[in-house]
Amino acid sequence: MKFGIVTFPGSNCDYDSYHAVADSLGLPAVYLWHKSTDLQGVDVVVLPGGFSYGDYLRAGAIARFSPIMQEVAAHARAGGPVLGICNGFQIACEAGLLPGALLRNANLQFVSDTVRIRVENADTMFTSRCEVGDVLRIPIAHGDGRFTADADTLDRLEGEGRVVFRYVNEHGVPDANANPNGSMRDIAGIISEEGNVLGLMPHPERAMEDLIGSADGRRIFESLLARVSA
Amino acid sequence: MSRFRVAVHIVPRKGILDPQGKAVSDALHSLGFDGVSDTRIGRHIVLHIAAPDAKAADAQVREMCGRLLANPVTEDFEIATVESA
């Protein structure tokens, strides 16, 4: 399975994502330049974290129009897996690959921390190696992570099992203090209707080795590996 | 074609938490402006565009707002002014 990691001007987690795939998992990975229109036959596209186009206008708003994103959207429409991490989640929402939007953190601060997220649906290609209720410790680093959507959209996401991760406290329970950005319904990550696009604010690619604090991010990549290779 | 200067206001939609606006409301209250009940902080965009007439300029900018300048999920926009430039 080959991973393609998109580099936009201002991406800064593309190297971390490459490291996660190529070094931690030992899988083939290539960088995909934002001006390219060639996905190079990759199976999985990673939209990495960072500040694409300087977050001008709104986070992710400009990146969505880059040439590579037209190919990423076509890949997603054809059922190809897309993993949008942090700025990648913002881009996926702006591109209409996922519903909702990510707004300024409710406390107006950039939050850099390690959070706990609970697996709400283990029947996805991104969580098949998890159980519902598993709590993963994953770093976050963002200023615009407050997931926002109208009530109907939120109800539909919940009803269809598309809320994949929720921020929780040390007891595995959502509470206002455990929610780092004021996201509606403590939502940390969602999937698309077809289940092949995951967007999440936490950074699983920065949690691949115990040495750096947590290896829980591997579960997401290993799930993908199990499902896509199957 | 004529040239127009179009100004657009984009603000967080009513009902969506605007933490910047809330912080500013609180600051205004502490200054004694007790009458302030809501503050919304958005952005003001000024565009210079070519269009056959003011109506067409207005329509173009509305389309720009729908597709890029405003996020239809969270923001409302209004065309503040369309002037000959």
Side-chain angles (χ1 to χ4, degrees):
Chain A
M1 183 169 60
K2 185 174 167 188
F3 283 73
I5 296 143
V6 179
T7 299
F8 298 100
S11 293
N12 64 10
C13 297
D14 43 346
Y15 281 57
D16 291 358
S17 300
Y18 187 93
H19 171 76
V21 174
D23 301 325
S24 301
L25 299 172
L27 295 171
V30 290
Y31 292 110
L32 302 171
W33 185 236
H34 68 110
K35 283 188 175 165
S36 167
T37 54
D38 180 7
L39 291 188
Q40 299 182 36
V42 302
D43 302 295
V44 179
V45 173
V46 178
L47 299 174
F51 301 87
S52 58
Y53 298 88
D55 277 353
Y56 293 167
L57 194 63
R58 298 179 302 276
I62 312 283
R64 130 189 200 211
F65 295 101
S66 64
I68 196 77
M69 277 306 293
Q70 314 317 308
E71 304 306 314
V72 172
H75 169 83
R77 278 195 301 274
V82 176
L83 175 58
I85 301 167
C86 197
N87 188 223
F89 185 11
Q90 296 162 340
I91 295 167
C93 287
E94 284 282 347
L97 299 176
L98 291 171
L102 293 142
L103 304 185
R104 181 74 67 90
N105 293 349
N107 64 9
L108 293 175
Q109 290 175 359
F110 188 96
V111 182
S112 187
D113 204 351
T114 297
V115 297
R116 292 180 176 82
I117 55 173
R118 188 177 70 193
V119 176
E120 304 290 275
N121 181 354
D123 187 23
T124 80
M125 66 170 82
F126 303 94
T127 50
S128 58
R129 287 288 169 94
C130 306
E131 302 287 334
V132 169
D134 281 356
V135 173
L136 311 182
R137 288 182 63 252
I138 311 270
I140 54 166
H142 60 251
D144 298 89
R146 175 166 47 109
F147 184 74
T148 301
D150 61 51
D152 288 348
T153 303
L154 292 169
D155 288 344
R156 201 172 68 240
L157 287 171
E158 305 249 26
E160 294 173 356
R162 291 167 56 192
V163 175
V164 179
F165 298 112
R166 224 185 281 274
Y167 300 108
V168 293
N169 62 19
E170 65 272 30
H171 307 296
V173 179
D175 77 37
N177 291 327
N179 180 337
N181 49 35
S183 281
M184 289 180 161
R185 304 195 192 179
D186 305 297
I187 290 172
I190 57 169
I191 49 169
S192 60
E193 199 168 355
E194 305 300 329
N196 60 311
V197 180
L198 170 70
L200 76 172
M201 288 313 294
H203 287 271
E205 84 286 10
R206 293 187 187 170
M208 299 296 282
E209 287 115 16
D210 287 321
L211 180 66
I212 55 165
S214 172
D216 290 351
R218 296 182 78 99
R219 310 267 295 275
I220 294 173
F221 286 93
E222 285 167 359
S223 297
L224 206 43
L225 190 57
R227 194 61 83 88
V228 174
S229 314
Chain B
M1 290 295 233
S2 310
R3 304 287 309 174
F4 294 93
R5 178 188 185 277
V6 184
V8 196
H9 296 314
I10 296 164
V11 291
R13 182 160 304 148
K14 193 169 166 18
I16 285 190
L17 173 67
D18 175 8
Q20 280 193 89
K22 187 172 179 307
V24 170
S25 276
D26 292 348
L28 291 170
H29 292 159
S30 69
L31 286 173
F33 293 103
D34 298 329
V36 176
S37 58
D38 188 30
T39 309
R40 305 249 115 198
I41 297 185
R43 64 179 84 80
H44 179 75
I45 299 177
V46 178
L47 299 128
H48 286 81
I49 63 171
D53 54 41
K55 199 174 159 206
D58 181 285
Q60 268 194 51
V61 175
R62 270 173 209 284
E63 191 187 342
M64 292 176 200
C65 287
R67 294 177 62 185
L68 173 64
L69 303 179
N71 183 332
V73 178
T74 57
E75 295 174 322
D76 289 323
F77 64 88
E78 60 183 81
I79 311 271
T81 53
V82 181
E83 297 165 342
S84 293

